Amino acid sequence: MSGYLTTHVLDTARGAPAEELKIELYRLSGETRELLKTLVTNDDGRTDEHILPESEFALGTYELVFHAGDYLTAIGTPAEDPRFLDVIPLRFGMSEHSHYHVPLLLSPFGYATYRGS
């Protein structure tokens, strides 16, 4: 079995999925940071396709970048200047061929993540 990567973004302040949140995926190799793709969450807070499907999966170090500030502005969350959370980078390693699920629980002043299933 080959691996793949997914995410799910939940807005814990609203108790709802985070819709229309931009996510970028980078592959890291030493000092090199290569943008692999940019996706946007759907009405369920997920991407319409796997972030990294089986056909593109490779072991290594990656970074998901969640554009939380743009999302918070779009839903009308009052912005401080500068916004406390704007761009959230999550750096993680994939060391086995399996499903990696990296969700983000988001509020205007905090976030959490974990390796889900």
Side-chain angles (χ1 to χ4, degrees):
M1 173 182 162
S2 186
Y4 60 100
L5 173 63
T6 58
T7 192
H8 189 195
V9 185
L10 297 172
D11 182 331
T12 58
R14 293 175 47 232
E19 184 177 358
E20 297 296 316
L21 190 145
K22 183 172 102 172
I23 302 169
E24 295 167 325
L25 174 67
Y26 292 86
R27 180 172 169 81
L28 307 173
S29 179
E31 297 298 314
T32 304
R33 186 173 176 250
E34 175 189 5
L35 177 64
L36 298 180
K37 66 175 58 173
T38 301
L39 300 162
V40 177
T41 57
N42 59 25
D43 62 355
D44 192 36
R46 301 174 188 274
T47 56
D48 288 333
E49 60 188 65
H50 292 159
I51 295 174
L52 198 59
E54 289 185 30
S55 63
E56 300 171 22
F57 185 87
L59 302 179
T61 303
Y62 291 84
E63 185 176 81
L64 283 171
V65 177
F66 296 87
H67 291 265
D70 291 343
Y71 162 77
L72 293 168
T73 298
I75 63 166
T77 303
E80 60 284 347
D81 185 23
R83 188 178 280 286
F84 181 70
L85 290 178
D86 186 17
V87 176
I88 301 171
L90 297 180
R91 202 168 274 193
F92 58 96
M94 296 193 294
S95 60
E96 57 189 46
H97 291 275
S98 68
H99 177 197
Y100 283 81
H101 184 67
V102 182
L104 182 73
L105 304 176
L106 173 66
S107 77
F109 297 101
Y111 68 89
T113 190
Y114 54 94
R115 181 176 176 186
S117 58

